[in-house]
Amino acid sequence: MKKKFYIKTWGCKMNEYDSFKIIHLLQINNNYQLTQIPEEADLLLLNTCSIREKAQEKVFHQLGRWKEYKKNNPKVIIAVGGCVASQEGYYIQKRAYYVDIVFGPQTLHRLPNMIQYVINTKRKVADVSFPKLEKFNIHNKYIITKPVSYISIMEGCNKYCSFCIVPYTRGKEISRSAKDILFEITQLAKQGTREINLLGQNVNAYRGIHDDGSICRFSELLRLISNIPGIDRIRYITSHPVEFTDDIIDVYRDIPKLVNFLHLPVQSGSDKILRLMRRFYTIKDYKNIIYKLKQIRPNIQISSDFIVAFPGENQEDFQKTMHLISEVDFDMSYSFIYSARPGTPAYNMKNIISDVEKKKRLYILQERILQQTIRFSRRMQGTIQSVLVEGVSKKYPEKIFGRTENNRIVSFKGKNSFIGKFVNVKISNVHSYSLSGNIVSVEE
Ligand code: SAH
Ligand code: F3S
């Protein structure tokens, strides 16, 4: 009988993507089978996130539960990966002696061998090093067909925003070669992918190397991808305002396949706070990018990330953020209370904002964003939207669902054979984040 493994994933899209790769690695290399039931697993994997508070505590809490399974069956292997693993390394095994494997975001491709090593030697192993590009080599070997696919084009971050742990856990920016990326997307397209989501901590810092040694910038990569037959929609997350150069804006003019929706994290509406955050742009710079984009794409919708209650943020700074939210008219966005991360420059900054005030600011901000999100959704009522059908709706099993260009999930009645096709849907009902409607036409 095949051995079984269970995987729990916390955190960002990149982590989800990493877990997806891990699943395939273990199925193919170790002949393991995925299970949704942790109690029956021979191998328990935790892919962790350390972006905000209590990450470590959450990990040890989860591990404590898994320790019980190991008591019942000492052969169970426990592996911890992701950003907490990267940060803590073998200290995880010091504190939780029953953890067999610690691997980092850049060593997950070594997992099959690490598992075999543990089985053969009954010893523990920890590898959270940053071997350059090695991980990317596994990418194009494991391809699964879906109408919407994700692909990592670069990893790591060199920005060192004063609040952020990512540069320490995922290492420096490294880009995959354009040739590899184009090859993988071509394979995906041949097998039915119509929409591609490019992933990276800072996709616009992408600098791939062509075979002739010349540099491929993000804008060039977008153009090359848009030429791949079968790819009809292109999205990416996340980009940084500092590197949002004019050559990228030009792509919005030339390539309609690039969606009319952009996630561009701003974090704060106050220049003073942006300086303390080490973001290296001003609100004027940010608004200038949006202005240029709107010149070309008047209806482009913008979403963002916000941090409230960063040390030194006073009422005036917070109001500046609220003002920016109205002015740019942000669509659905992510927002967080600042969380001090050990090892980051902002960690020791004095923060006098009370917990009540922090929560209040977050609430006010989220309410405003929600209002704007609903307004954008309501405007869609009665319109006809192009939707790429992704599958059967989880919520309404008699319906199928897909996404609009502006990233709204729409559910509607339709045949399963429409999965993978673009359909035109007339929007009838509007909820805050999702929509429902009726098909008016299906592509040939
Ligand atoms: N460019 C990255 C950003 C990573 S972190 C990406 O791929 O998304 C995602 C978001 O988490 C950031 O934009 C920021 O808003 C938030 N964040 C990061 N560190 C944080 C901290 N210490 N406290 C609160 N929010 C944080
Ligand atoms: Fe983090 Fe700033 Fe990089 S938010 S991921 S250090 S751009």
Side-chain angles (χ1 to χ4, degrees):
M1 214 169 65
K2 275 193 183 182
K3 284 189 177 173
K4 292 183 177 158
F5 72 103
Y6 173 86
I7 186 163
K8 199 177 216 18
T9 308
W10 288 325
C12 62
K13 274 275 174 238
M14 192 66 100
N15 256 16
E16 285 174 24
Y17 178 75
D18 281 350
S19 288
F20 186 70
K21 296 280 167 188
I22 290 171
I23 292 170
H24 287 276
L25 274 174
L26 299 189
Q27 284 170 337
I28 291 166
N29 292 301
N30 303 66
N31 204 22
Y32 271 88
Q33 183 187 342
L34 183 67
T35 171
Q36 304 301 335
I37 308 163
E39 288 89 339
E40 65 168 33
D42 304 281
L43 167 66
L44 293 159
L45 285 148
L46 187 60
N47 195 0
T48 63
C49 169
S50 60
I51 199 82
R52 276 170 292 275
E53 223 159 348
K54 304 204 177 96
Q56 274 79 352
E57 289 323 302
K58 204 171 146 192
V59 169
F60 287 107
H61 188 75
Q62 180 63 50
L63 290 174
R65 246 182 270 158
W66 285 358
K67 180 182 164 194
E68 298 304 312
Y69 302 156
K70 202 161 172 161
K71 267 192 194 150
N72 297 335
N73 176 7
K75 278 194 180 152
V76 167
I77 296 174
I78 299 182
V80 182
C83 286
V84 175
S86 173
Q87 236 183 323
E88 302 288 313
Y90 79 97
Y91 282 100
I92 292 195
Q93 287 156 317
K94 262 185 136 175
R95 190 166 149 191
Y97 58 89
Y98 46 87
V99 169
D100 302 281
I101 300 171
V102 176
F103 62 101
Q106 307 304 344
T107 50
L108 64 88
H109 56 285
R110 295 179 179 171
L111 200 54
N113 287 339
M114 290 163 107
I115 293 167
Q116 212 43 55
Y117 174 85
V118 170
I119 293 174
N120 294 345
T121 66
K122 312 267 181 301
R123 294 170 72 167
K124 294 183 202 313
V125 51
D127 181 359
V128 292
S129 56
F130 295 94
K132 272 194 183 168
L133 285 175
E134 209 181 275
K135 173 185 169 190
F136 287 141
N137 295 336
I138 65 159
H139 282 300
N140 44 34
K141 291 193 195 138
Y142 307 103
I143 283 181
I144 290 269
T145 322
K146 281 197 257 160
V148 177
S149 294
Y150 292 82
I151 172 171
S152 148
I153 62 163
M154 58 85 65
E155 274 249 356
C157 183
N158 296 351
K159 301 288 178 290
Y160 295 94
C161 300
S162 64
F163 54 82
C164 185
I165 197 78
V166 170
Y168 310 94
T169 60
R170 286 200 174 252
K172 288 213 175 296
E173 286 164 1
I174 10 169
S175 300
R176 285 176 80 185
S177 79
K179 193 171 151 190
D180 272 8
I181 296 168
L182 296 171
F183 176 77
E184 187 173 336
I185 300 179
T186 307
Q187 298 304 309
L188 288 165
K190 278 187 190 154
Q191 297 176 57
T193 288
R194 311 281 305 267
E195 174 182 315
I196 195 84
N197 283 260
L198 310 176
L199 295 180
Q201 258 73 36
N202 271 304
V203 288
N204 51 340
Y206 176 81
R207 298 287 182 275
I209 314 252
H210 285 306
D211 281 352
D212 65 3
S214 63
I215 301 282
C216 177
R217 294 172 64 88
F218 183 56
S219 54
E220 186 187 346
L221 184 71
L222 287 171
R223 286 174 191 274
L224 292 169
I225 292 170
S226 75
N227 289 331
I228 297 176
I231 296 298
D232 296 297
R233 247 189 205 169
I234 306 170
R235 299 184 195 272
Y236 56 82
I237 41 169
T238 308
S239 53
H240 191 291
V242 159
E243 276 151 323
F244 212 93
T245 41
D246 287 349
D247 54 325
I248 300 172
I249 294 174
D250 288 343
V251 183
Y252 279 87
R253 189 188 51 226
D254 302 337
I255 315 261
K257 289 178 183 179
L258 195 54
V259 292
N260 229 4
F261 186 90
L262 170 67
H263 182 71
L264 190 61
V266 65
Q267 313 299 356
S268 167
S270 153
D271 285 342
K272 178 190 98 190
I273 298 298
L274 290 176
R275 242 186 340 267
L276 292 171
M277 287 177 165
R278 294 171 46 86
R279 292 289 292 182
F280 300 110
Y281 54 82
T282 62
I283 289 305
K284 201 170 158 212
D285 299 332
Y286 187 89
K287 287 201 296 202
N288 202 18
I289 297 169
I290 307 297
Y291 175 79
K292 285 189 210 164
L293 274 169
K294 289 201 169 170
Q295 293 285 90
I296 300 169
R297 301 262 192 114
N299 296 324
I300 192 164
Q301 266 161 258
I302 313 290
S303 76
S304 202
D305 289 351
F306 297 92
I307 295 177
V308 298
F310 187 79
E313 184 188 85
N314 58 28
Q315 274 305 334
E316 196 188 328
D317 298 312
F318 178 64
Q319 287 314 324
K320 285 182 177 163
T321 302
M322 293 305 293
H323 182 72
L324 185 76
I325 291 174
S326 310
E327 210 182 344
V328 175
D329 204 7
F330 287 106
D331 192 11
M332 45 184 156
S333 296
Y334 298 96
S335 48
F336 319 93
I337 292 174
Y338 165 71
S339 164
R341 308 309 299 132
T344 61
Y347 185 66
N348 292 319
M349 285 184 188
K350 207 168 153 210
N351 199 341
I352 53 163
I353 310 166
S354 71
D355 283 352
V356 174
E357 177 62 23
K358 288 176 185 172
K359 286 186 186 146
K360 192 172 145 200
R361 286 184 198 175
L362 185 68
Y363 177 80
I364 294 172
L365 187 148
Q366 290 185 334
E367 273 300 298
R368 173 77 57 85
I369 297 272
L370 180 65
Q371 292 309 320
Q372 296 184 179
T373 303
I374 293 173
R375 184 159 40 75
F376 277 116
S377 295
R378 284 209 182 119
R379 272 188 216 159
M380 295 169 76
Q381 194 156 16
T383 63
I384 291 173
Q385 298 285 329
S386 171
V387 174
L388 174 57
V389 185
E390 288 181 42
V392 175
S393 163
K394 281 195 190 110
K395 220 165 144 192
Y396 315 101
E398 74 287 3
K399 289 185 174 180
I400 52 177
F401 82 98
R403 272 168 206 275
T404 60
E405 203 179 326
N406 62 354
N407 225 1
R408 263 112 177 128
I409 291 181
V410 191
S411 53
F412 44 88
K413 286 217 172 85
K415 295 186 201 143
N416 282 10
S417 60
F418 295 166
I419 296 169
K421 289 190 183 225
F422 279 90
V423 297
N424 283 324
V425 177
K426 186 163 184 182
I427 306 302
S428 53
N429 285 309
V430 174
H431 324 283
S432 26
Y433 297 106
S434 64
L435 312 166
S436 52
N438 300 299
I439 293 186
V440 289
S441 63
V442 183
E443 72 178 341
E444 286 304 306

